[in-house]
Amino acid sequence: MTYDTLAGSLVGEFERGTGFSPWELVRVVSAVAQGSRDENALTNLVFHQRHPERGGASVRPGERAAAAEWLAVRDTVVRPLLAAGRAGGGASAPAGAPSGPSGPAPAPSGTAGAGPAPRPSRGCAAPGGTAVAKCARPGTLRCPAVAGLLCAEDVDGVPFHYPESVRREPRTGLLVVTARQWHREQRFTGPVREAMSAFLRNMRGFGMPVEAILTAGSLYCRCVKRSDPAKPDILSNHSWGDALDVVGVRWPAAGGPPSPLREAIVHNWTDPGQRVLLRRIDACLRLSFPTVIDYYRTDHRDHFHCDTNRGQGFRPRTTAGLGFTREALRAVGHPVVPTGRPEADVFRALAAFSGLTAASFKDAAVLGRVLRELFTRVAAGR
């Protein structure tokens, strides 16, 4: 039996009183299709999505209702899916995997394994569709069919991991990834792949080699809301296969920068030590992608949005107005002094950094060159 067939047969589970919703079914089927075979992790995926108030904590002895719910998810959905995968020639669950909620808690980021090998990248296609998500007027915009799309589980041998849950680690007080999909396939165009390859080269060059890229997704037919009532929606760059959301990176066991965690994720942007690493990662992304949106926007405090501006190149005057430019200037000893004109404030600090006059930055090429020099300094940690 294929996963698609099994998924169809399980749609009725929530109607038969198990409380298992179609959305949860999609999450589990997707995780299994992407290679996850750990029944404990798959069950936790649903259980902790239902109960975010637990913060990822394992079911404790004496929590009979929670244990019964956990076992119902495992027995009515997860185990049948895994059994169908084995019957169809798929990989079996790893030997010695925990068999119930009394098993050990998910390993923190610092101890996660390598996972299966990524599949080779391939060409694929997106048929387009009608944008509904994040739209002020759902259904009024249509996403294009994307030619030349790539389906990839890695870039230059560095795999994509898809975090599914995070929790606070008692030892450090920092948030860590507690469940993930290994080598989650991402869909994007060639320029995005080239930019991500440049990012990985930059990271290596600045002493920050990457073992895995943590991602929140790529191709997605959706809108971006605007304040213009005449045109409240536009298509996101995700709709064109021109964007990738980066949650963070995983460091190798040896050779990475000093850090109490094996992974740097945007969720920890308020921690001073992790902020230094995230600032350097942010700078490397800006040296590689024309557009980066980061934790200075409240809806991007768990990922970096990166896109290539659909081939239109770097827009330095927009970048100069972002909060990260101010942060970067402070990091190299040139803080922005408010004067009541935000862009002028930034230009004055950039002039002190570069030795040029603030008037020089009316030339976009000059501004772009100075910003690259600034981001290079920050990426290098100098």
Side-chain angles (χ1 to χ4, degrees):
M1 183 183 295
T2 67
Y3 289 123
D4 288 343
T5 302
L6 182 60
S9 71
L10 288 175
V11 166
E13 287 295 334
F14 76 102
E15 295 173 343
R16 291 193 287 274
T18 64
F20 195 80
S21 72
W23 173 244
E24 291 169 341
L25 174 63
V26 169
R27 292 290 304 275
V28 175
V29 170
S30 174
V32 172
Q34 294 294 330
S36 178
R37 297 294 185 271
D38 185 332
E39 68 175 26
N40 196 37
L42 290 167
T43 306
N44 282 336
L45 172 64
V46 174
F47 182 79
H48 292 304
Q49 179 176 299
R50 291 182 183 181
H51 298 285
E53 75 281 358
R54 298 180 65 89
S58 298
V59 177
R60 296 182 296 273
E63 292 186 294
R64 294 183 179 180
E69 181 180 358
W70 194 100
L71 291 168
V73 172
R74 183 196 66 183
D75 295 341
T76 61
V77 178
V78 173
R79 282 186 171 175
L81 275 170
L82 292 175
R86 289 192 289 273
S92 61
S99 58
S102 60
S109 293
T111 59
R119 294 176 295 183
S121 300
R122 59 187 176 86
C124 53
T130 301
V132 175
K134 300 184 182 293
C135 299
R137 297 178 183 175
T140 60
L141 294 179
R142 183 165 181 81
C143 297
V146 182
L149 201 66
L150 296 173
C151 284
E153 293 188 355
D154 71 283
V155 172
D156 298 346
V158 178
F160 290 111
H161 292 182
Y162 187 86
E164 295 177 328
S165 64
V166 300
R167 73 173 180 189
R168 198 165 300 280
E169 185 189 48
R171 178 176 61 90
T172 62
L174 297 171
L175 292 166
V176 298
V177 177
T178 55
R180 74 188 68 211
Q181 294 180 30
W182 301 99
H183 307 312
R184 171 71 173 263
E185 186 173 80
Q186 301 297 289
R187 296 184 292 169
F188 41 67
T189 57
V192 173
R193 182 185 179 89
E194 292 168 9
M196 183 54 64
S197 181
F199 165 70
L200 294 172
R201 290 195 303 273
N202 285 329
M203 291 287 284
R204 287 194 300 271
F206 292 124
M208 297 184 290
V210 174
E211 181 179 285
I213 305 159
L214 280 60
T215 179
S218 49
L219 180 74
Y220 183 17
C221 177
R222 70 169 180 84
C223 296
V224 175
K225 292 182 181 178
R226 307 172 72 224
S227 58
D228 183 354
K231 192 176 182 181
D233 296 318
I234 59 172
L235 289 178
S236 164
N237 278 52
H238 285 283
S239 304
W240 305 82
D242 185 50
L244 181 69
D245 287 341
V246 175
V247 173
V249 299
R250 180 170 176 80
W251 310 117
S259 175
L261 301 178
R262 276 286 298 278
E263 293 176 345
I265 60 175
V266 180
H267 303 65
N268 290 317
W269 67 280
T270 59
D271 177 80
Q274 292 299 297
R275 181 63 164 260
V276 172
L277 292 173
L278 291 170
R279 182 188 305 137
R280 296 179 66 190
I281 293 168
D282 200 337
C284 281
L285 287 169
R286 291 172 186 276
L287 290 170
S288 311
F289 284 89
T291 302
V292 177
I293 304 173
D294 56 21
Y295 38 76
Y296 280 93
R297 268 187 36 179
T298 56
D299 58 347
H300 284 70
R301 288 178 175 170
D302 59 1
H303 71 280
F304 297 114
H305 167 94
C306 311
D307 68 56
T308 73
N309 197 21
R310 293 176 55 203
Q312 298 178 48
F314 181 49
R315 293 179 295 177
R317 293 187 71 86
T318 300
T319 303
L322 295 179
F324 182 75
T325 303
R326 295 181 172 84
E327 179 179 344
L329 285 161
R330 289 195 300 270
V332 298
H334 294 280
V336 177
V337 178
T339 64
R341 297 177 57 199
E343 188 174 76
D345 297 349
V346 171
F347 286 175
R348 180 178 295 184
L350 284 172
F353 166 76
S354 64
L356 301 174
T357 64
S360 302
F361 304 128
K362 293 180 180 179
D363 185 330
V366 173
L367 177 57
R369 176 176 58 79
V370 171
L371 286 172
R372 290 188 65 83
E373 292 174 0
L374 172 63
F375 298 154
T376 298
R377 284 271 302 277
V378 172
R382 299 198 300 266

